[in-house]
Amino acid sequence: MRKIFMLLILFSSILTVGCSNNLEGDSLLLAPKLPIEVEEVKSILSENFSKELDLINPIIGESNNSIQFVDLDNDGKDEVLVFHKVKDDKFPVRIAILTKISDTEWIVNNTIKGIGYDVNKIVYSDMDNDGIKEIIVGWQGGTILNKGLSIYSYSKGDISETYEDTYTEFDVKDFTSDGTKELMIIKLNRSEGVSKAFLYDYKNSAVSFIDETLMDGYINNYYHVTSGNAYNGLNGMFLDASVGAHSAFTDLLVYQNGELKNIFYDENWSSTNTTFKAYPRKSKDIDSDGTIEIPILIAPKGYENASMSDTPWLTVWYKWDGKKDLIRSNESYQDFKHGFEFVFPNDWDKHVTLEFARKNNSLIKFTLDDDEKTQILDILILSSEEYESMKEKPEIKLYKKIKTTFKKVYLLRQYIYDNSNKYYLDEDRFKELLKINYENNKN
């Protein structure tokens, strides 16, 4: 029965890991190669496939396939983790762990039984540097905010749970800069307006408390969480939180000078105001220098009195200065309607503004806020059908086609041709700065 179960699962993985659904434009990727183990038994699996097998995918995180190949014990051979549900069980979620014991034979070493209704997130990390990866699982329960957390150790095919807790968000990173990884857990009690961050160490299969800090608890949720370099090699946890009808702010948690700090949290007001923004934006490494930036929105020149919904917000990106302040790093224009982001070159100053100049806001004109209102460039977005019907028209021939998706064409018109002018961009440079967001590029 164990072998049959394994065969059914592995055959299903052919459908899961053998293709990609993201097929637009620059993101068109080759389908990943099927694992050699699947290829070897493919003909046998096709005879034993069962439609009753219910594979599931972790909801968030980098590891979000239903079939995952991970070398847990550092022996050079991947174990296979299969995420699935069983029927007629109060807690139906399972994670089966398969190990290959010969050229043609696999065994199910153990199966983790979940405590919720889904897998929210999974992280594999050698937290204590013993050469074996811990399995950190976030279990989705009845609500988005309250979830279950389990840490499992793996040894010679055996699985044991070493820690369990509840959480709203979590991440694993070397937050203390000691060469090992720690566990950061966020717990939000929205009804009481209280949120706290807890930092834990993990050694010898045991969790120990390091420190905790307060956070702004009057939020809707954390819509984006990421961890990475915050300042000069010091890792931080960036939590983008939504508040009210559409506003947001960013909390930054770091372990500095022997304590866990919420850098921009105002203890006098029990809130975070420094990183407030009118609409949600996600913290990220915008300039690819290895440090995560925090986004804050500003209205372009000329839109000071416009309504929030009619304002073409510019995103100013800031780095943390290592103390309590922010340092301006970069600027960009994010257009969610048309599915792109245009990152301003670093030497562009603060005098660039923009305006919408076409129906459906599909022509964005970038100009200098000087006496002459010097034009820099236009970005024109057309549907594929519209472009084909208009491409021979004189006004469209002024533009150069830069990027395409299956449904949209992105065109550029330059007004500055002097390459010694800092506002000049050649086509290759413009292509680098124009980022297509395929998640928001469906229409």
Side-chain angles (χ1 to χ4, degrees):
M1 288 298 295
R2 295 168 73 186
K3 289 184 179 181
I4 293 175
F5 175 68
M6 173 278 299
L7 293 176
L8 300 182
I9 291 173
L10 284 177
F11 179 71
S12 299
S13 71
I14 295 173
L15 304 178
T16 304
V17 303
C19 60
S20 173
N21 292 325
N22 192 3
L23 300 177
E24 292 191 352
D26 294 344
S27 70
L28 182 59
L29 302 174
L30 294 175
K33 289 184 178 180
L34 295 175
I36 295 174
E37 293 84 355
V38 175
E39 290 282 10
E40 290 174 350
V41 297
K42 189 174 179 180
S43 60
I44 302 174
L45 300 178
S46 61
E47 300 174 1
N48 295 278
F49 179 71
S50 170
K51 294 182 179 179
E52 296 180 359
L53 192 66
D54 189 10
L55 293 173
I56 62 173
N57 298 74
I59 297 171
I60 63 172
E62 297 179 0
S63 302
N64 56 10
N65 290 325
S66 58
I67 309 293
Q68 300 184 20
F69 289 75
V70 183
D71 185 0
L72 295 174
D73 52 8
N74 200 31
D75 66 351
K77 298 178 182 178
D78 285 341
E79 282 69 42
V80 181
L81 290 88
V82 183
F83 298 78
H84 63 287
K85 288 183 178 180
V86 298
K87 294 184 177 181
D88 302 322
D89 194 293
K90 183 179 180 181
F91 299 109
V93 182
R94 302 285 189 275
I95 306 174
I97 300 178
L98 285 63
T99 300
K100 189 174 184 180
I101 60 173
S102 71
D103 289 342
T104 59
E105 188 176 8
W106 290 73
I107 61 170
V108 179
N109 280 320
N110 214 324
T111 298
I112 298 172
K113 183 175 181 179
I115 58 175
Y117 301 100
D118 232 320
V119 176
N120 178 262
K121 177 182 178 180
I122 186 162
V123 175
Y124 308 99
S125 178
D126 182 4
M127 297 179 67
D128 51 7
N129 285 352
D130 65 353
I132 299 177
K133 294 182 177 68
E134 280 69 44
I135 305 170
I136 305 99
V137 186
W139 304 105
Q140 187 77 53
T143 68
I144 295 175
L145 293 179
N146 298 312
K147 299 180 279 282
L149 176 72
S150 297
I151 299 179
Y152 299 92
S153 66
Y154 178 84
S155 177
K156 298 179 180 179
D158 292 328
I159 291 288
S160 59
E161 186 180 44
T162 59
Y163 181 72
E164 61 178 347
D165 204 340
T166 60
Y167 78 101
T168 303
E169 300 292 341
F170 83 89
D171 211 349
V172 176
K173 208 82 174 179
D174 183 4
F175 291 107
T176 65
S177 303
D178 68 346
T180 62
K181 296 178 181 178
E182 292 78 36
L183 172 67
M184 187 88 77
I185 295 179
I186 313 301
K187 295 185 180 183
L188 169 64
N189 186 331
R190 195 164 57 186
S191 62
E192 296 182 5
V194 175
S195 185
K196 285 187 177 182
F198 302 86
L199 186 63
Y200 297 95
D201 200 3
Y202 184 90
K203 287 184 174 64
N204 300 319
S205 298
V207 167
S208 58
F209 174 79
I210 297 176
D211 202 3
E212 66 181 74
T213 190
L214 286 170
M215 305 174 68
D216 188 339
Y218 290 100
I219 68 171
N220 299 329
N221 67 328
Y222 299 106
Y223 62 87
H224 178 249
V225 178
T226 188
S227 298
N229 182 37
Y231 175 78
N232 197 26
L234 177 64
N235 285 323
M237 187 174 187
F238 297 76
L239 296 106
D240 300 317
S242 66
V243 291
H246 48 67
S247 303
F249 66 83
T250 301
D251 269 331
L252 170 58
L253 302 172
V254 299
Y255 185 77
Q256 189 181 42
N257 300 324
E259 63 178 319
L260 181 62
K261 299 178 180 179
N262 188 358
I263 296 299
F264 304 113
Y265 179 74
D266 187 334
E267 293 184 1
N268 293 325
W269 295 94
S270 300
S271 63
T272 301
N273 300 310
T274 302
T275 57
F276 179 84
K277 60 213 79 181
Y279 287 96
R281 295 292 188 269
K282 295 179 179 180
S283 299
K284 63 181 178 180
D285 181 6
I286 185 68
D287 54 6
S288 302
D289 69 345
T291 299
I292 297 173
E293 284 87 13
I294 294 173
I296 296 177
L297 301 185
I298 62 169
K301 187 74 172 178
Y303 286 87
E304 293 85 354
N305 298 319
S307 67
M308 293 187 68
S309 59
D310 291 334
T311 301
W313 296 95
L314 291 174
T315 304
V316 183
W317 298 89
Y318 291 90
K319 287 181 170 65
W320 175 46
D321 72 346
K323 297 178 181 178
K324 291 295 257 184
D325 294 323
L326 293 167
I327 301 172
R328 187 181 184 277
S329 172
N330 214 323
E331 195 167 318
S332 70
Y333 169 66
Q334 294 178 299
D335 192 315
F336 294 95
K337 180 177 182 179
H338 299 295
F340 75 91
E341 179 177 16
F342 174 57
V343 181
F344 292 7
N346 285 328
D347 57 352
W348 281 19
D349 57 31
K350 301 177 184 179
H351 302 296
V352 175
T353 185
L354 58 88
E355 63 175 321
F356 296 135
R358 190 175 187 264
K359 183 181 179 181
N360 297 324
N361 300 336
S362 60
L363 174 60
I364 302 100
K365 302 180 74 67
F366 294 81
T367 62
L368 290 180
D369 182 34
D370 55 13
D371 293 338
E372 294 78 23
K373 301 298 179 185
T374 305
Q375 292 178 286
I376 303 174
L377 58 86
D378 296 347
I379 298 176
L380 175 63
I381 307 98
L382 300 175
S383 68
S384 299
E385 295 81 4
E386 192 177 14
Y387 175 74
E388 287 300 320
S389 66
M390 297 176 63
K391 64 182 180 180
E392 298 302 325
K393 293 185 176 182
E395 62 269 26
I396 300 302
K397 285 189 174 183
L398 296 172
Y399 293 81
K400 293 183 179 180
K401 184 168 65 172
I402 299 297
K403 291 190 177 184
T404 64
T405 68
F406 284 158
K407 296 183 178 181
K408 292 179 182 177
V409 179
Y410 297 83
L411 302 106
L412 166 68
R413 181 178 180 182
Q414 290 270 43
Y415 293 94
I416 297 175
Y417 298 98
D418 178 6
N419 60 13
S420 65
N421 189 315
K422 67 180 179 180
Y423 295 102
Y424 168 78
L425 294 177
D426 62 34
E427 289 183 40
D428 289 339
R429 180 62 174 146
F430 182 77
K431 287 179 181 179
E432 292 177 6
L433 298 171
L434 186 70
K435 316 290 185 181
I436 305 301
N437 185 342
Y438 294 99
E439 292 182 4
N440 291 297
N441 200 344
K442 305 298 183 184
N443 299 317

